[in-house]
Amino acid sequence: MKTARFAGGKKVVLEEKSTLVAGEGQVVVAVKSCGLCGSERENYLNGYIHHQGHEVAGVVTQVGPGVTNVRPGDRVVVYLTSFCGDCVYCQQGLTTMCLNYPEKVNLGWAYPGGFAEYLVTDAQNALPLAEELSFEDGVLLLDTLGTPFHGLRLARAEEAGTALVIGCGTVGLGTVLILKALGVKQVYATDLSPLRLAMARELGAVPLKVPETPVLDFVREKTEGGVDLAVEAVGSPATLVQAVKAVRFGGVVLGLGEQPDDFALTIDLEMRLKDLIMIRSWYFPVKEYFENMQLMKGGFFANKDKLVTARFPLEELQTACDLFYEGKTGGKVLINFP
Ligand SMILES: [Zn+2]
Ligand SMILES: [Zn+2]
């Protein structure tokens, strides 16, 4: 089968690998669509680290012994994190809280990842995709919509009248889309990229170009001393501080951004007095995948198709990566398979 691998130094190499066999409790999935993700920038720059391509939708082609939840021919998405399925949290569908996988991302979750014609994964990570939805929809239900929606549920975003989204990568854009769909009246968005800001505007946000716009002054002036909700979708200390400063007293800060390095946050007097709620979330539980799929079937994510701005076959993964990681396109880039 055809596969692609990040070789480091921004190079993608195509490779031929032997056919996969589903072991006990596993399934083989023919990949139909796989999203490029900002979290894999490190792989693109420095070579394969863990898996590559983790936003996958496809069709089950083979099931191993003991598999009962899916059958060959089933359309599925591949859920990222490993979970036991038995603990008190898994039983409620709260799979990201699984007690038996302290390292929630089991790095061997799906071999060799989604930049391949086929992958093998634990059967319980293959979640059904409704017939009405496309494989591209399936990919969007994962990191692009699933991840921000989990944080926004924790943040009770539907109660916000004003929000600021810092960083309009695909998670930030997904955040804008959901905030507007939830009826949040005023959504501001910042990013360094004019392309991404243009997309945020299309999704209903008021774009604030940085550094030209003094974001904090602007936001405080336009709202009652700050926004109700600030979402940080960059993963840097500077933008997290900006989010804390942008919310009003009693506001909610939601941290979604990811960078490879840990960082510390300095709490100054202004922040200390703010009486704010700070939320840090990651990915989403299986339970919410099903809720989001129902919402998508009902048309809740009306602007979802605007999120995808480029599609390539596997053979052009190099071009796709150059476009995406060099910021030459504003939205989600997908690798689609025939
Ligand atoms: Zn991702
Ligand atoms: Zn569990």
Side-chain angles (χ1 to χ4, degrees), residues 20-99:
L20 300 169
V21 178
E24 175 136 21
Q26 292 183 323
V27 294
V28 172
V29 175
V31 180
K32 292 294 177 187
S33 187
C34 180
L36 270 65
C37 181
S39 70
E40 291 191 308
R41 176 184 298 278
E42 196 68 10
N43 291 359
Y44 170 67
L45 297 177
N46 300 322
Y48 174 84
I49 294 175
H50 305 310
H51 44 253
Q52 38 204 348
H54 58 261
E55 303 181 17
V56 178
V59 177
V60 175
T61 57
Q62 226 190 90
V63 303
V67 172
T68 53
N69 65 316
V70 284
R71 286 186 295 196
D74 283 0
R75 302 163 82 252
V76 295
V77 299
V78 182
Y79 183 74
L80 177 67
T81 90
S82 293
F83 56 98
C84 76
D86 294 322
C87 73
V88 61
Y89 296 110
C90 284
Q91 287 292 314
Q92 300 170 65
L94 303 174
T95 43
T96 39
M97 299 182 190
C98 176
L99 293 172

Side-chain angles (χ1 to χ4, degrees), residues 164 188 206-208 213-223:
L164 169 68
Y188 302 99
V206 176
L208 307 178
T213 314
V215 172
L216 296 181
D217 294 345
F218 181 89
V219 164
R220 283 174 180 160
E221 204 173 286
K222 297 281 176 188
T223 58

Side-chain angles (χ1 to χ4, degrees), residues 1-32:
M1 64 169 186
K2 276 186 239 145
T3 68
R5 184 171 60 85
F6 292 124
K10 304 184 181 177
K11 285 275 170 295
V12 174
V13 291
L14 298 169
E15 289 176 339
E16 198 63 37
K17 279 206 165 79
S18 48
T19 312
L20 300 169
V21 178
E24 175 136 21
Q26 292 183 323
V27 294
V28 172
V29 175
V31 180
K32 292 294 177 187

